[in-house]
Amino acid sequence: MVENDALSVTREAYDAAATVYAQLFRGELRDRHLDRALLSAFAEVVSASGDGQVGDLGCGPGHITSHLNELGLAAFGVDASPAMIKLARQAYPGLRFDVGSMAALNIADGVLGGVLSRWSIIHTPPQELPVILAEFHRVLAPGGHLLIGFSASDDPSHPTQVFDHTVAPAYRWSPDHLAAMLRKSGLAEVARMVRQPQPTDRRQFQEIHLLARKA
């Protein structure tokens, strides 16, 4: 019930904000050189270990899905917000976008070479995150990779911290704690990138990207 309530609140909030959100973030990679480099590295490791099919889970308006496609991956997007998926289909008609929940993906077992979760877990109540990580593990093929991005908590002794996200209630995570959760789900950390906040960033949080591999 807790997860359903949280998912419903998040879906409705992003439905209402979808048009503004798409306008704000469509060009976000233009000045984020490290993010582009990391996505390129992700594309390379996925392509090297399989057929390159990737699920962008929590894809929003689809701009990152499109970028993955430009990098040579067979990328598709999934998002809980029907309004976001409508915008993604309009902006990128040649790509596949589906409405769905990360906690119950309509994807067969072991078919993906990669999963991208770019800030898509931040609205998940901490007690529900293991279900989502288990779904990531389920849909990945052996040797497949997960790239997961989130904001870091300030105190490593606290696994999570709530923060005042504009759209819906959200959480920051201790990177080591989340890496341990990934290990419990069968996903071993391969690498991590820590990006320090820029002076112009509204929130002065570290940004974390963890790359993990399914055995």
Side-chain angles (χ1 to χ4, degrees), residues 131-146:
V131 174
I132 289 175
L133 298 183
E135 277 293 88
F136 291 171
H137 178 272
R138 180 184 67 79
V139 299
L140 280 169
H145 286 81
L146 164 70

Side-chain angles (χ1 to χ4, degrees), residues 50-136:
D51 63 6
Q53 188 180 15
V54 169
D56 180 6
L57 306 182
C59 65
H63 56 295
I64 303 298
T65 316
S66 176
H67 185 74
L68 294 176
N69 183 69
E70 291 171 359
L71 291 173
L73 299 175
F76 65 93
V78 177
D79 200 277
S81 165
M84 286 289 193
I85 292 298
K86 181 179 179 180
L87 290 174
R89 289 170 176 168
Q90 291 172 347
Y92 311 104
L95 299 179
R96 171 187 158 198
F97 295 98
D98 300 323
V99 177
S101 166
M102 294 187 296
L105 294 164
N106 187 24
I107 301 172
D109 294 356
V111 297
L112 299 185
V115 165
L116 179 67
S117 170
R118 185 179 170 84
W119 276 269
S120 60
I121 64 163
I122 64 171
H123 301 296
T124 302
Q127 68 271 21
E128 301 297 334
L129 187 57
V131 174
I132 289 175
L133 298 183
E135 277 293 88
F136 291 171

